[in-house]
Amino acid sequence: MQQSKLVGILQKFSKKDLKSLHDYLCSPFFNKNPDLVVFFTYLKKHYPDFDKASFSKENAFSFIYQEDYNEKKIGYLMSDLLKMVEGYLVQKQLDENPFEQNLKLLLTYKDWKLEKPFKSTLREIEKYLQKGDFQDAKGYYQSFLVEEIKNLFFDQQQKRTYDESLQIAIDNLDFYYLSQKLKYSCEIINRQNILTANYELKLFNEILEFLRTNPQSQKPYIAIYYQILQTLIDSGNEEHFECLKELLKDYTPLIGKEEARHMYHYTINYCIQQLNKGDAQYLREAFELYKIILDNEVLVQEEKMDHRNYKNITSIACLLGEFEWAETFTNEYIPYIEKNLRHNALMYNMAQLHFHQKDFNKAHHYLSQMERSEVFYDLGSRSLLLKVYYELNELKALQSLLNSFRIYLKRNRIISDYQREIYLNLIKYLKELIRSKGQTEKLKEMKQAIMENKNIATLEWLLSKVNQEILATV
């Protein structure tokens, strides 16, 4: 019984939800079987772990019935209680959603052709939907649903007059479609930049052309995702980034935290991509954006922060020399990282901090404490360890890591083509740097090649090492 679907769901319940579920089961409107209340009482005694030796179907049966154990009967009871639990979850969602409640009322009054309560409920819904100038995709869809019902109600009356609800319905449907199409297109293109994945974007060019030639269709929410998309497909044009920043500045107070988190994620990713291409001004841009969203508590959701943000924020702060800020952030936000990632996240951030403070032995210590895990930390820890070995002049260890890292990049099929390219280029030029030490002309040629390529991980550090070697030969 411990492995049943019923118990698995109940383990996710809070104590407050458990009490509400009890009230739900005690209601004769929802539950006609009093045995389910008794069964639930037994289950509550074993909440939340349900792992005691006494927890079993046989003991549950004995708690409910004064008769010999019947496997089929307890099975039916578990199935019936599961349906009740799921019914409670649906009812809870409905209770917490006034829009859905009023929409169902509106449909009922439309079906019953009750004009007065229909109009009264409609006023309540329209009041709920009045959100000022900013509306997200969900809002457009909700508006469409309301206007659709209004149009059906109008048709029932068989009046031969103009009704704007039909036009408003189709407009909101268009806005909803454009919003979601842009949002999902951004996610698809972003994933293709990170992982090897094949997706098909139908009507993509046609939609972009429509939005370009019909700027009036770019409502704020649509305009934001349109500019995000432009930063992904036309990253060389900085006007898209500047426009995106202005839009976010104007509308962030009106955007929900979850949506704002997605939007800023793309904006900061653009900064990081530009940094990887050698444009150092975007370091401060990214840092200031991170500080804004930290101040607005956008990055923490349900006491959790994405480990990638945690790593990137520390990395950027260290690159800017904001060591005290970086250390405070690292220690303050580590409790918000998922447990299974917390150790690697902390070790990597501490390694970064000490590396940039030029305490390379301490950085090596923290990197050696890391466990091999997902691609994200594997790439970061291996490339940072390359730099540590170089700085410590541990050439034998460096050569070994360069070779093993190259094999890892070649064999791992999860890594995107872009990531594979930038890290293979780092390996290529680092090997060349080692071979070219003391050879001024070769070093200068190498510097020129790096400047022309730019698709190299940790580009700024590599250039600084090349420049250092060039100066050493003068």
Side-chain angles (χ1 to χ4, degrees), residues 109-232:
Y109 294 144
K110 186 270 297 180
D111 291 342
W112 291 356
K113 300 180 182 179
L114 294 173
E115 185 171 355
K116 190 173 180 179
F118 179 89
K119 288 183 176 179
S120 173
T121 305
L122 181 61
R123 283 194 295 271
E124 285 297 311
I125 292 181
E126 288 176 339
K127 191 187 300 181
Y128 171 82
L129 291 174
Q130 285 174 358
K131 298 176 181 178
D133 294 333
F134 189 86
Q135 198 167 13
D136 59 13
K138 180 183 176 182
Y140 291 129
Y141 184 63
Q142 288 176 333
S143 295
F144 160 71
L145 292 175
V146 172
E147 296 301 328
E148 182 184 38
I149 296 170
K150 280 170 66 177
N151 180 61
L152 292 171
F153 185 76
F154 176 80
D155 283 349
Q156 282 180 342
Q157 296 174 318
Q158 297 182 339
K159 294 178 181 178
R160 294 189 177 183
T161 58
Y162 172 75
D163 174 46
E164 66 175 0
S165 61
L166 189 60
Q167 183 63 56
I168 298 172
I170 195 92
D171 286 345
N172 278 288
L173 185 60
D174 285 340
F175 294 144
Y176 172 72
Y177 172 76
L178 290 170
S179 299
Q180 293 295 74
K181 185 70 175 183
L182 289 173
K183 182 176 180 177
Y184 280 89
S185 295
C186 289
E187 182 59 25
I188 282 174
I189 293 170
N190 187 52
R191 284 192 191 183
Q192 287 175 331
N193 289 337
I194 299 170
L195 301 172
T196 303
N198 293 315
Y199 296 97
E200 184 181 0
L201 284 169
K202 295 175 182 176
L203 300 176
F204 181 72
N205 293 325
E206 290 84 351
I207 288 170
L208 290 185
E209 179 62 18
F210 170 78
L211 290 170
R212 188 186 67 79
T213 55
N214 294 272
Q216 72 278 6
S217 296
Q218 290 196 31
K219 302 289 186 181
Y221 183 89
I222 295 171
I224 290 171
Y225 273 109
Y226 176 77
Q227 291 301 332
I228 289 172
L229 190 58
Q230 291 298 329
T231 63
L232 291 168

Side-chain angles (χ1 to χ4, degrees), residues 358 360 390-391 433 437-438 443 447 460-474:
K358 300 190 183 303
F360 304 120
Y390 183 89
E391 297 288 0
L433 176 59
K437 283 191 175 188
L443 287 167
K447 179 181 177 180
E460 289 299 313
W461 175 83
L462 182 63
L463 276 174
S464 73
K465 296 299 111 180
V466 174
N467 286 328
Q468 194 177 83
E469 290 300 326
I470 290 172
L471 287 173
T473 62
V474 176

Side-chain angles (χ1 to χ4, degrees), residues 279-368:
D279 198 336
Q281 68 170 331
Y282 281 92
L283 196 62
R284 179 61 63 178
E285 290 273 15
F287 186 59
E288 295 304 322
L289 284 169
Y290 270 128
K291 288 205 294 186
I292 289 169
I293 54 181
L294 283 171
D295 289 342
N296 285 281
E297 300 179 352
V298 168
L299 285 180
V300 177
Q301 182 185 27
E302 297 179 353
E303 300 299 308
K304 289 181 182 177
M305 174 185 279
D306 190 302
H307 66 101
R308 290 165 294 190
N309 287 322
Y310 180 75
K311 170 183 175 286
N312 290 337
I313 291 170
T314 302
S315 177
I316 290 168
C318 288
L319 287 167
L320 289 168
E322 302 272 0
F323 300 128
E324 187 177 343
W325 190 97
E327 188 166 10
T328 300
F329 167 80
T330 294
N331 292 322
E332 184 177 339
Y333 282 89
I334 188 61
Y336 298 111
I337 305 303
E338 284 186 57
K339 268 190 176 181
N340 63 316
L341 297 170
R342 198 173 293 168
H343 174 77
N344 273 357
L346 180 60
M347 293 302 102
Y348 185 82
N349 274 14
M350 293 305 294
Q352 281 194 96
L353 180 61
H354 288 287
F355 176 82
H356 288 284
Q357 290 176 318
K358 300 190 183 303
D359 189 346
F360 304 120
N361 285 308
K362 202 72 173 284
H364 182 269
H365 166 74
Y366 282 112
L367 286 172
S368 68

